[in-house]
Amino acid sequence: MKKILGLLFITVMLFSCDSDNSEGGNTGGGSTSPFDRGTFLINLVDNNIIPSYEAFAVETALLKTATTTFTSTPTIANLEALRAIWLKAYKIYQPVAIYDLGKGLDIAYILYLNSHPLRLDKTLEDIKDVNFDVTELEISTNQNRQGFPALDYLINGLATTDADIVAVYTGAEAANYKRYINAVSNRIDALTNTVLADWKGDFKTTFVTNTAGDKSGSFNEFLNVYVQYLEKRLRASKLGIPAGQFTESAFPEQIESLYKPEESRGLMLEALAGFRKVYEGVDGDDQSFSEVLKGLGNSELNNKILVAFDNAKAAIE
């Protein structure tokens, strides 16, 4: 994966050099750019961003319903159903985290949904506090007390057996745990719908029409976010930090899905697949990063990046 970073850095330099030589970053109008940034951005939004959020929003609604069902009738069967939906939603969330732009960036969407590791001591304080108000989850310092990591603990980490986990939701503190798990699921769904509405609303127009060739343009803004996601969230957060690649010690407790650790690898593979999908494009997209690189006369570099993707996937597996 480090090789992908190096190759993408070269790619960024190529795109940046191209940007410096264009007046508006679009074909026509005196620009010397060999690709149409406007078409690239429209394809990115219509083929990747909105479909990813729409698919995820379907799952967050199911997650919200499954949580309500489980807390209304705490049984092993309902726990298993909730756990399955949580895992599916967590996987479908992975590519969504790439698009840290617009409303999502403004409201720190990905930090509220997937700040790991969970701050367990503070989460337990909130759960046991009879005066806890669910609006406290909106506070930025509480980002690591919610989202998918919190659900992981609440459905996988409360005890070593399913029967004992269910017993927590029927015991003396059942009301507190039910309140908290429903608040977490509801917030995931609400935030997702807020960000999706933003992408389907005015922000889409603002984003796809900003074809400037400098750093303020949407193309370069996304390219920055895209490479940063690979380096910080995929490579470092999911693997490098837990494995101790940046420090003298490993921190295995910082993996995703801490309380169901056998799923951590699958989540990372989903993230890599989503990242590669953006690079290669969807349905023969002629304005993907891959196609643009080839259009710039850099087919060899493109092939190296594709091989690096294959190698990264094999290494994770």
Side-chain angles (χ1 to χ4, degrees), residues 188-232:
I188 290 174
D189 184 58
L191 289 175
T192 300
N193 282 300
T194 295
V195 177
L196 174 58
D198 184 53
W199 275 110
K200 297 177 78 170
D202 293 340
F203 181 66
K204 174 184 176 180
T205 302
T206 301
F207 183 76
V208 301
T209 57
N210 182 6
T211 57
D214 58 21
K215 65 181 181 180
S216 67
S218 294
F219 178 86
N220 285 348
E221 182 183 10
F222 175 71
L223 187 58
N224 261 347
V225 167
Y226 183 66
V227 175
Q228 186 180 63
Y229 171 81
L230 176 68
E231 180 177 3
K232 292 188 175 181

Side-chain angles (χ1 to χ4, degrees), residues 20 57 73:
D20 291 340
T73 310

Side-chain angles (χ1 to χ4, degrees), residues 28 50 56 74 90 136 140 145 153 160 178 239-240 248-249 307:
I50 290 178
F56 184 51
Y90 210 173
E136 292 182 36
S140 61
R145 308 184 193 186
Y153 172 70
T160 56
K178 289 179 179 180
L239 182 61
E248 294 181 357
S249 303
V307 169

Side-chain angles (χ1 to χ4, degrees), residues 78-90:
N78 285 339
L79 174 63
E80 290 174 341
L82 173 56
R83 189 177 286 147
I85 293 171
W86 163 81
L87 180 58
K88 183 180 178 184
Y90 210 173

Side-chain angles (χ1 to χ4, degrees), residues 110-148:
I110 60 177
L111 296 178
Y112 280 111
L113 263 66
N114 198 31
S115 287
H116 59 92
L118 178 71
R119 183 68 188 272
L120 182 56
D121 57 341
K122 295 298 183 180
T123 301
L124 289 172
E125 286 180 12
D126 290 343
I127 291 172
K128 296 177 183 296
D129 182 2
V130 294
N131 296 315
F132 177 76
D133 190 311
V134 295
T135 59
E136 292 182 36
L137 293 178
E138 300 172 11
I139 301 172
S140 61
T141 53
N142 293 344
Q143 290 168 348
N144 55 4
R145 308 184 193 186
Q146 56 190 288
F148 284 102

Side-chain angles (χ1 to χ4, degrees), residues 10-27 30-38 40-41 210-224 289 292 296:
I10 296 171
T11 307
V12 171
M13 292 303 99
L14 288 169
F15 284 131
S16 297
C17 290
D18 169 69
S19 299
D20 291 340
N21 293 327
S22 66
E23 294 175 8
N26 236 345
T27 54
S31 170
T32 60
S33 173
F35 69 98
D36 187 334
R37 287 191 183 85
F40 179 98
L41 294 170
N210 182 6
T211 57
D214 58 21
K215 65 181 181 180
S216 67
S218 294
F219 178 86
N220 285 348
E221 182 183 10
F222 175 71
L223 187 58
N224 261 347
F289 283 129
V292 169
L296 288 167

Side-chain angles (χ1 to χ4, degrees), residues 242-267:
Q245 290 299 300
F246 306 107
T247 58
E248 294 181 357
S249 303
F251 297 93
E253 72 281 358
Q254 294 196 25
I255 63 169
E256 285 180 297
S257 188
L258 176 62
Y259 300 97
K260 202 168 179 60
E262 65 271 22
E263 303 298 346
S264 181
R265 186 202 317 267
L267 294 172

